[in-house]
Amino acid sequence: MIRKRFKPPYAAPAAVLGSTTGVFYMIFIGLPLAALLISVAGRGDFLNSVSGDFALTALRLSLITSVISMVSVVLVGTPFAYLLARSRSALLKLVDSLIELPIVLPPVVAGVAMLMAFGRLGVVGPPLEAIGVVIPFTTVAVIFAQVFVAAPFYVRAARIGFQSVGTEYEEMSQTLGMSPLRSFFRLTLPLAAPSILAGLGLAWARAFSEFGATMMFAGNLTGKTQTMPLAIMTAMESSLGEALVLSVLLLAGAIIILVGLGLVTRRPWTCLFYT
């Protein structure tokens, strides 16, 4: 006897509504991006703009600073995320709830706050300046701004990944003679790798596209603090075409990151640690 699959009475209307809203959403998102690509496609100086010193300098600075920022975020954020995932301390739960504050905080406010902390009139700025360390309006300030706004994306994703790995697996591996540190690298880390890598990709994209905090805390100095988003703003003042080209470069980078995330999150990372 063949049983017919029961469909709730609201399934068909919900599907129609979902499809309709989905089409409108795709049009709303896709139309500006398509317009950007069409505008650049009609220009004959695309290659000249891409290979120009202005674009290459900003791109090089964005790549270098974002890579340094992500290395810092991973080194600090990974053990911190593991601690948040495993601890039951009320204090750490409060800290956990505040981790995502930079995500909802306006980037301009973040830049002003960092200026008040590390600037010449800030909390720790004068002591640092007394020993010859100046952070604001330097390349280091760009890295600080990127880490501030991007780290929560990584820590949040890594914490969720570690929480998805049951503590019983770690306890079982340790009863079999594996040290806690080895258990972390051979068991917990590979199982949480998809979430960690997804968080890393989102954090990198956020750091690469950071604008507000960088503008307020690091300034817009060519070759020193002028990243790609700041270069686009500068180009808009004199050349719309160059601004369009830089925007397409950032769009291409975002697409590459999304495609890369799709590939790495589907890969069976555990096999790399047990072969």
Side-chain angles (χ1 to χ4, degrees):
M1 181 178 178
I2 301 177
R3 296 183 179 179
K4 294 184 179 180
R5 186 176 179 181
F6 174 74
K7 293 184 178 180
Y10 53 81
V16 173
L17 180 61
S19 301
T20 304
T21 54
V23 170
F24 278 108
Y25 176 78
M26 294 303 296
I27 293 175
F28 179 76
I29 298 297
L31 184 60
L33 299 180
L36 175 63
L37 295 175
I38 292 172
S39 299
V40 174
R43 304 187 62 87
D45 57 347
F46 179 80
L47 293 179
N48 292 332
S49 299
V50 171
S51 58
D53 291 337
F54 181 74
L56 291 179
T57 300
L59 179 61
R60 188 184 304 112
L61 180 64
S62 293
L63 288 173
I64 292 174
T65 54
S66 62
V67 168
I68 295 175
S69 299
M70 289 306 98
V71 172
S72 304
V73 167
V74 170
L75 292 178
V76 177
T78 302
F80 183 46
Y82 182 77
L83 176 64
L84 293 176
R86 292 292 184 258
S87 177
R88 297 182 180 179
S89 170
L91 178 59
L92 284 178
K93 287 183 179 180
L94 176 61
V95 172
D96 189 17
S97 64
L98 297 176
I99 286 296
E100 300 175 2
L101 182 60
I103 296 178
V104 299
L105 190 69
V108 175
V109 177
V112 173
M114 298 186 73
L115 196 60
M116 292 299 98
F118 302 102
R120 292 184 175 181
L121 301 178
V123 177
V124 298
L128 290 176
E129 190 175 1
I131 59 176
V133 177
V134 178
I135 297 177
F137 306 106
T138 64
T139 306
V140 176
V142 176
I143 297 173
F144 273 38
Q146 291 176 349
V147 170
F148 186 92
V149 300
F153 290 92
Y154 177 79
V155 174
R156 180 177 182 273
R159 174 180 57 79
I160 294 175
F162 288 135
Q163 286 178 339
S164 66
V165 182
T167 56
E168 63 272 12
Y169 296 113
E170 296 176 339
E171 295 171 355
M172 186 180 301
S173 66
Q174 294 175 28
T175 58
L176 296 176
M178 189 177 292
S179 65
L181 186 61
R182 184 173 178 144
S183 176
F184 174 80
F185 283 104
R186 295 293 299 273
L187 177 67
T188 308
L189 191 60
L191 289 176
S195 296
I196 292 175
L197 292 173
L200 178 61
L202 292 175
W204 194 1
R206 181 65 185 86
F208 197 81
S209 62
E210 162 51 32
F211 175 82
T214 305
M215 184 68 182
M216 297 300 299
F217 185 50
N220 187 16
L221 307 175
T222 304
K224 190 175 182 181
T225 65
Q226 188 180 79
T227 56
M228 287 288 286
L230 295 176
I232 293 174
M233 183 195 69
T234 302
M236 284 290 293
E237 299 175 356
S238 57
S239 173
L240 176 61
E242 196 162 15
L244 291 174
V245 171
L246 294 176
S247 299
V248 169
L249 286 179
L250 280 181
L251 175 61
I255 294 175
I256 292 174
I257 290 176
L258 287 177
V259 174
L261 283 178
L263 293 176
V264 299
T265 53
R266 291 178 176 85
R267 183 171 181 174
W269 289 93
T270 52
C271 66
L272 298 179
F273 292 82
Y274 289 101
T275 55

